[in-house]
Amino acid sequence: MFRSSLVALLLAGLSAHAWAAAPAASAAIATGLVAHRAVYDLELKDASDRSGIASMYGRMVYEFDGSYCRGFTTNFRFVTQIDTGDSVRVSDQQTKTFENLKDRKFTFDTKSFTDDQLDKEVNGAAENQANGVKVDLKQPASRELQLGESRFPTEHMLDVIQNAKEGKRFFEARVFDGSDDGDKSLVTTTIVGKQETPAAEEADAGNAGAFSKTAFWPVTIAYFNENAKSDSLPVYRMSFKLYENGITRDLTMDYGDFVLTGKLAKLELLDHKAEVCK
């Protein structure tokens, strides 16, 4: 949900066609999402020798706002300090996206910095059409792309919540989030555990404020290249505890050569006015 992300597609659970056929249902689910700003403290959990990482820590800020009527905006910043033993560098990724669920349109803009120097910028717009996703990419190079039908990030999050509520423990979906070079979708497999209530020893549960004792689902999402073989390892895997309102905590981000954890340090609910779509 934060990679706004990193096997033949079966599209189990809510498929893209099912979603398009039931806009009223999608609107009902989307109204349950809570506008919020969440801050996570990041730490290195594990790193292989091949990663070249001696230590790593940082902070992630995730801000989610909007509504089904106005569309949803996500602002995401991911800052880490990486020590290789020979040098220390600071990596800073800043992403802003906008998603219109009604029209199934998505815009994205990501800037990546190393030690305050801009390394890369990726931005463009995408639209889910009858024959797949049309991408109008502006950076790193201007071009138009045609991809297979895919979910956008908020759509996919709503799919996860809906499947969790219905007790569906496993489903697959193709997701386009504008990450990397903004030129491909990824195939995801999602596993949803049974709903739980926070245990007393969960350090970051108390930082969820009014939701500190609310039930959640443990979720794991693996991201694969769309042309990956059935026995291929995922590009990226993320585990987290998901509340019905879209808030997450207790993150584990597995990049293969290294693993980060993210503990919820602060949660702020944003003003959100009730709306009636015209």
Side-chain angles (χ1 to χ4, degrees), residues 14-271:
L14 282 177
S15 70
H17 296 289
W19 186 277
S26 64
I29 301 167
T31 55
L33 300 180
V34 172
H36 67 282
R37 182 183 296 109
V39 180
Y40 303 86
D41 288 333
L42 307 175
E43 289 187 2
L44 183 67
K45 181 179 180 181
D46 189 30
S48 67
D49 292 338
R50 188 172 61 178
S51 72
I53 298 174
S55 67
M56 185 176 181
Y57 67 92
R59 175 158 281 194
M60 181 170 69
V61 180
Y62 175 80
E63 183 177 298
F64 179 82
D65 198 3
S67 68
Y68 181 81
C69 301
R70 292 183 287 118
F72 291 99
T73 299
T74 299
N75 285 286
F76 171 80
R77 189 171 185 183
F78 191 102
V79 180
T80 54
Q81 180 170 299
I82 306 166
D83 185 350
T84 65
D86 298 321
S87 64
V88 177
R89 67 179 187 272
V90 175
S91 174
D92 183 357
Q93 178 180 313
Q94 302 172 21
T95 297
K96 182 174 183 177
T97 68
F98 175 77
E99 186 172 341
N100 183 324
L101 288 175
K102 292 189 296 180
D103 297 335
R104 304 201 70 202
K105 293 181 179 181
F106 178 67
T107 61
F108 53 95
D109 185 6
T110 295
K111 295 181 176 68
S112 301
F113 300 83
T114 299
D115 295 333
D116 295 325
Q117 299 297 312
L118 180 65
D119 286 332
K120 184 178 181 180
E121 181 172 2
V122 178
N123 67 64
E127 181 178 359
N128 239 323
Q129 302 176 334
N131 59 342
V133 174
K134 178 184 177 183
V135 180
D136 183 9
L137 194 62
K138 300 301 184 185
Q139 294 281 354
S142 181
R143 55 183 173 139
E144 289 189 356
L145 303 164
Q146 189 68 41
L147 306 176
E149 192 170 26
S150 306
R151 315 300 280 153
F152 295 139
T154 302
E155 283 183 313
H156 188 235
M157 178 169 64
L158 293 171
D159 287 353
V160 175
I161 293 171
Q162 181 66 16
N163 277 276
K165 292 172 71 173
E166 294 179 358
K168 297 177 181 177
R169 302 302 177 200
F170 177 85
F171 71 100
E172 299 183 352
R174 188 192 304 267
V175 176
F176 178 82
D177 61 8
S179 60
D180 297 325
D181 290 327
D183 59 355
K184 61 180 178 294
S185 301
L186 293 174
V187 173
T188 68
T189 62
T190 300
I191 300 174
V192 182
K194 292 183 179 180
Q195 197 169 44
E196 303 175 17
T197 53
E201 63 271 17
E202 293 184 69
D204 68 342
N207 294 330
F211 309 106
S212 60
K213 297 182 180 179
T214 303
F216 62 84
W217 293 283
V219 176
T220 297
I221 304 177
Y223 296 79
F224 297 84
N225 288 321
E226 59 182 345
N227 57 353
K229 297 180 180 179
S230 59
D231 59 349
S232 298
L233 294 175
V235 176
Y236 170 84
R237 182 185 288 112
M238 187 170 196
S239 299
F240 50 92
K241 292 171 180 175
L242 172 67
Y243 294 91
E244 187 175 339
N245 55 22
I247 292 172
T248 60
R249 63 174 182 83
D250 195 11
L251 319 174
T252 300
M253 294 160 279
D254 186 344
Y255 296 90
D257 287 338
F258 66 96
V259 180
L260 288 176
T261 60
K263 300 297 184 183
L264 181 64
K266 183 179 179 181
L267 176 66
E268 178 186 354
L269 300 185
L270 306 177
D271 290 338

